[in-house]
């Protein structure tokens, strides 16, 4: 029986509505909120999931990215979940901005005390879509996913670990090789255990691309060349591209790689190129099914 959704707020925007929902998560064992944008439609809508980055909530993208006018025009629904469990009591969960609250990294934690609540991969892949399909007029066969930074990592692994689930995936300034960057090493050590490298690789987009054998997956990889985190080797998109080019799925991973001169990691960068991403997903979400 799907959980009950409570409407927290509702706002008209272009030819549609932004609705914030609250529910009791069975997976995360806490109260969660997510935002949905529903364009006006008499037919079930294709749906685009957006995963946000470190420190973000369900509000950042839907309020700041400027995506809704394009989603309204294309008649595509948008779902924006939070980035970690909320309202739980775990010692140390608020000690750092890049681990714990706001930094769930879209993995299913195996290490105590995080494993009791930090099951963000299962939430994004299983529980949240189940709620969306049960309560909202969306088409489960027409779904795509995108993300920014930590959320770009989440979007890539969600698509690569679930071949055929999403029609397309796009990322902006994604953490592409978390097992090899400081952010990822810190998060995976805490959530998955410092020595469990095989478990780490199961949540690493570069390692998953290296062994991908699924159906064709269109990918838009977007990056600003003045991104400070690119220079600090937190993102490592070149590792992902190399793995995809040399893996068994190189023909199936249809990657569009765009380096944006002069742009950084911020929402100013996202606003500038968000129309490109909506158009990219629209090409795949609005085409007829095979």
């Amino acid at each position: 029986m799907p959980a009950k959704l409570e409407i927290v707020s509702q706002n008209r925007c272009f030819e549609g509505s932004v609705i914030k929902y609250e529910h009791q998560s069975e997976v995360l064992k806490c109260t969660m909120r997510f935002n949905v944008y529903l364009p006006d439609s008499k037919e079930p809508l294709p749906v685009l999931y957006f995963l946000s980055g470190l420190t973000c909530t369900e509000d950042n993208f839907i309020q700041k990215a400027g995506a809704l006018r394009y989603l309204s025009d294309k008649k595509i629904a948008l779902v924006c979940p939070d980035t970690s469990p909320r309202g739980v009591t775990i010692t140390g969960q608020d000690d750092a901005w890049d681990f714990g609250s706001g930094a769930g990294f879209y993995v299913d934690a195996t290490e105590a005390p995080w494993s009791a609540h930090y099951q963000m991969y299962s939430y994004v892949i299983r529980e949240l879509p189940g709620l969306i399909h049960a309560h909202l007029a969306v088409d489960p066969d027409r779904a795509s996913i995108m993300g920014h930074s930590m959320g770009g990592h989440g979007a890539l692994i969600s698509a690569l670990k679930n071949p055929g689930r999403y029609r397309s995936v796009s990322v902006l300034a994604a953490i592409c090789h978390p097992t090899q960057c400081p952010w990822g090493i810190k998060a995976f050590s805490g959530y998955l255990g410092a020595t469990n490298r095989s478990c780490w690789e199961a949540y690493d987009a570069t390692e998953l691309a290296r062994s991908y054998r699924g159906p064709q997956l269109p990918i838009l990889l977007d990056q600003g060349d003045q991104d400070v985190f690119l220079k600090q080797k937190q993102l490592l998109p070149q590792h992902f591209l190399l793995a995809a080019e040399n893996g068994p799925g190189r023909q199936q991973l249809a990657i569009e790689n765009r380096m944006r001169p002069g742009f950084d990691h911020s929402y100013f960068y996202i606003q500038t190129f968000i129309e490109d991403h909506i158009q990219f997903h629209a090409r795949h979400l609005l085409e007829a099914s095979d």
Side-chain angles (χ1 to χ4, degrees):
M1 185 72 179
K4 183 179 180 182
L5 295 181
E6 300 284 350
I7 295 177
V8 176
S9 62
Q10 186 166 345
N11 300 91
R12 191 76 180 155
C13 188
F14 299 105
E15 297 300 314
S17 296
V18 176
I19 309 170
K20 183 187 291 289
Y21 289 103
E22 182 176 277
H23 71 102
Q24 290 300 125
S25 170
E26 294 182 4
V27 169
L28 305 180
K29 298 180 174 59
C30 65
T31 300
M32 292 294 288
R33 290 183 171 186
F34 62 88
N35 283 314
V36 174
Y37 180 63
L38 291 175
D40 299 337
S41 177
K42 295 180 180 179
E43 303 294 330
L45 295 162
V47 59
L48 176 62
Y49 291 87
F50 182 87
L51 305 184
S52 287
L54 291 163
T55 75
C56 291
T57 69
E58 73 277 7
D59 292 330
N60 294 71
F61 180 82
I62 205 163
Q63 293 181 0
K64 296 167 64 176
L68 302 189
R69 68 169 64 244
Y70 308 115
L71 293 164
S72 175
D73 289 345
K74 295 294 185 181
K75 301 294 185 185
I76 297 172
L78 174 70
V79 179
C80 298
D82 204 346
T83 53
S84 77
R86 300 288 177 173
V88 302
T89 303
I90 298 177
T91 301
Q93 66 182 354
D94 298 318
D95 289 354
W97 65 273
D98 56 355
F99 184 80
S101 297
F105 260 83
Y106 305 103
V107 303
D108 283 349
T110 58
E111 295 294 298
W114 310 100
S115 57
H117 298 284
Y118 277 64
Q119 304 290 309
M120 286 299 295
Y121 176 76
S122 288
Y123 179 72
V124 166
I125 290 296
R126 179 166 56 86
E127 185 174 27
L128 181 61
L131 291 169
I132 298 300
H133 299 158
H135 293 284
L136 304 178
V138 301
D139 182 351
D141 294 323
R142 291 189 293 161
S144 290
I145 192 166
M146 66 179 297
H148 172 234
S149 194
M150 178 186 72
H153 143 74
L156 286 172
I157 66 167
S158 294
L160 291 167
K161 287 169 71 68
N162 298 274
R165 167 75 72 91
Y166 303 104
R167 291 197 175 190
S168 52
V169 56
S170 76
V171 296
L172 299 119
I175 301 172
C176 291
H177 203 177
T179 61
Q180 300 297 317
C181 76
W183 280 340
I185 292 169
K186 178 178 181 177
F188 286 10
S189 295
Y191 296 136
L192 305 175
T195 61
N196 194 354
R197 301 295 296 195
S198 62
C199 188
W200 288 26
E201 291 177 358
Y203 292 107
D204 187 310
T206 293
E207 300 304 325
L208 292 167
R210 204 186 306 281
S211 59
Y212 183 79
R213 294 181 181 274
Q216 186 172 73
L217 177 63
I219 300 173
L220 174 54
L221 193 71
D222 202 307
Q223 176 66 59
D225 72 352
Q226 295 304 303
D227 188 328
V228 65
F229 301 119
L230 178 68
K231 297 178 180 181
Q232 292 175 0
K233 302 188 185 305
Q234 295 280 18
L235 308 178
L236 303 173
Q238 70 277 16
H239 291 199
F240 179 80
L241 289 168
L242 187 62
E245 289 169 4
N246 292 310
R250 58 186 174 274
Q251 301 300 322
Q252 286 72 41
L253 295 176
I255 301 174
E256 297 181 32
N257 181 35
R258 300 181 186 176
M259 183 63 73
R260 309 292 193 174
F263 285 87
D264 58 18
H265 200 78
S266 70
Y267 267 85
F268 298 114
Y269 153 64
I270 294 175
Q271 288 177 44
T272 304
F273 300 110
I274 194 61
E275 183 180 9
D276 290 358
H277 285 253
I278 302 306
Q279 296 286 0
F280 170 78
H281 291 295
R283 290 199 302 271
H284 301 287
L285 287 170
L286 301 181
E287 66 184 9
S289 300
D290 293 335

